Amino acid sequence: MTGQLKLHVPFPPGGDQPNAIAKLSEGLDKGLQYQTLLGVTGSGKTYTAANVIAHHGKPTLVLAHNKTLAAQLAQEYREFFPENAVHYFVSYYDYYQPEAYIAHSDTYIEKEAQINAEIDRLRHAATQALLTRKDVIIVASVSAIYGLGSPANYEKVHVKIVKGEEENRSALIRKLVGIYFERTTADLNPGQLRAVGNAIEFMPVNERAIYRITFDGVHVASIDCLDPISRAKTAEVDNVFVFPAKHFVTDEDDRKRALEQIRAELDERVEQLKREEKPLEAERLKRRTLHDISLIREIGYTNGIENYSRHFDGREPGEPPFTLLSYFPHKKDGSPDFLTIIDESHVTVSQIGGMYAGDRSRKNTLVEFGFRLPSAFDNRPLKFDEFEQRIGQVIFTSATPGNYEREHCVPPKGQVVEQIIRPTGLIDPELVVRPVTEVTADGYKGQIADFIAETEIVIARGGRALATTLTKQMAEDLSDFLKQRGIKAEYLHSDVKTIDRITILTEFRKGTFDILVGVNLLREGLDLPEVELVGILDADKEGFLRSETSLIQTIGRAARNILGRVILYADNMTGSLERAISETNRRRAIQIAYNTEHGITPMTIKKEIRDIAASMRTEHQRTVDDLLTLDAKLYAEDPAAFIKEKRQQMEEAVEQLDFETAAIIRDEILVLEGKEVKSKKAAPKSTQSRGRRRR
């Protein structure tokens, strides 16, 4: 089967790739529901998957278990499919504290969230591509199974502006406000509009561009596309489709119906609480809900409005929410008509399966104690069986498939396809086991001292090293210790912001620093061919981070370099260690035999270093970064004088009312002075509900 997805082929498939591509494509053609690509690290699983996607020709969802891996995959798929729509869809929260109630201390924690506007833009770009194109690949995190709003409503209320057609300026402003655009008199951000003379300017939520609609009486005279920074005209178009600024869209009739249903549910629940002799909970729920109803009626929104999503969507109690999966194409009978690839499935599958239970547990308490109506239960992620029903044919990719994948890929309904031979001829890294503590002739020597000695050899010849620890604090402490020793190092863990994680990985590949210390994020999927050495500290501490799967995945980080070597620091040989070493040696034997038979000389993977965070930075941020690069030499010559001159330039820009330039210079100064461009989010707020309860 061929489709509209056109693969750019930078090199022909090699190693086990041709066989894997053929078998997986044949499986899709036969209608197999589940297939597994068991590919060793560095064997090119993503390239194999790209070839299969191109063969299948249908829109594709690629699921990854964290934002960093998703960003890397999105960049790779953009390179493979430069002519098609490849988008990135992850949670848009830089900071998120869900609403919760701790009963034993009578503490209510209010929901707090800090939304990353650029990631929100990318989410809108993804959903709009799904509704308007067929050549779409979406790389997503498990955010894909969370409630998103009805695709039918989202598509239905778009505004179409056509050059030459009759249109009233005030009426168009009302239309845009009606799809949640906000009016402003300042600089435009995505989802905002402003009136300028006889024109309207707005910035769609899915683009980094400003559209200026100029009127000639009651007709649209022109539609110009402007650069948001320079305001230079980049294009003139005949028409433009404008989608809503929010995914949750409800028309006036549906809103009235929803408010009536919310009030009816409130009355029913209050009576139930009173029968259960819970007057405090009944009064609390009544006040909170009536306040929310009032806000929704007056301004169309209230904090926590997603808890009423079932009523706005018209769903029955217990019915699954709309999610990103709802935006993908479906056949006439309602069955999914797209391909799903679950990357690093041994982690991603279990992560998807655990989302519902955690959400339900938190909301049980909120409903029980009168903070939310029972309909809040229906603002939730999909259950695992619901997820299974909503995906099409599936390909799992992993070097260590889990039980779920193996059970579902048993012939004749499925298959497991191995990809052990790498196109580069690289073999799995050499493994060395050393004690955590060791007494030598020179006295005491531990794993840290040994690792530092080994990394100094690697760094001297231009290589990089990874170290994996058991906790975030250990990662930070080791990074600080290495810096004190004069070694350029950084740490990476889940508390580091998404875009910062990606930037750290890019700088690591560039050689800005030589050692990267992490906990769990350094296991799956990260493509770092410069890494020659991996040190697994405390490898004998049996548990999740030192299980057979985790060890094999971490070992794989050194499999993209011909000099790759892994040191496992262990005083005891655990079962996980034995199995991981045995499986690695099995693969090495197969790879060495293949290379010997075919006369192949292994080669380190050569991969261009790209800034995969660039697509998530705003024009403003990129302009600041460019200025920092250009001004680096002048700043180094005389920092104080340079800062003084920059401040003067900023003040002159303000006097000329050029606030965009002033803001760029301000942020450059903040970076040079080592200050945060944005203030950090405050710690989550919690209050004792007794006497100080938030309403």
Side-chain angles (χ1 to χ4, degrees), residues 291-311:
H291 178 256
D292 286 347
I293 290 174
S294 177
L295 284 175
I296 295 170
R297 181 179 290 116
E298 295 300 325
I299 64 175
Y301 181 80
T302 184
N303 190 31
I305 192 173
E306 65 274 6
N307 289 291
Y308 306 109
S309 60
R310 166 164 66 82
H311 296 294

Side-chain angles (χ1 to χ4, degrees), residues 474-489:
M474 289 171 65
E476 294 180 18
D477 290 345
L478 178 55
S479 175
D480 290 340
F481 180 74
L482 291 170
K483 289 176 182 177
Q484 293 169 9
R485 293 286 300 266
I487 299 173
K488 294 182 290 184

Side-chain angles (χ1 to χ4, degrees), residues 498-563:
T498 305
I499 294 179
D500 291 339
R501 292 183 211 169
I502 299 165
T503 300
I504 287 170
L505 291 171
T506 302
E507 295 302 312
F508 178 58
R509 290 199 61 202
K510 289 179 178 178
T512 304
F513 53 93
D514 301 310
I515 299 179
L516 185 58
V517 187
V519 184
N520 198 30
L521 290 178
L522 301 185
R523 287 182 8 181
E524 286 90 2
L526 296 183
D527 192 349
L528 306 169
E530 295 77 17
V531 172
E532 294 182 10
L533 176 67
V534 173
I536 303 179
L537 307 181
D538 300 303
D540 56 354
K541 298 297 187 289
E542 188 79 80
F544 171 71
L545 292 175
R546 297 296 181 263
S547 65
E548 175 190 353
T549 295
S550 295
L551 289 170
I552 291 175
Q553 289 288 342
T554 307
I555 288 167
R557 296 317 102 205
R560 289 179 167 88
N561 194 296
I562 192 172
L563 300 175

Side-chain angles (χ1 to χ4, degrees), residues 356-371:
Y356 173 78
D359 182 81
R360 179 78 183 196
S361 175
R362 177 176 59 85
K363 285 178 180 165
N364 271 334
T365 307
L366 289 170
V367 172
E368 180 183 353
F369 287 90
F371 288 95

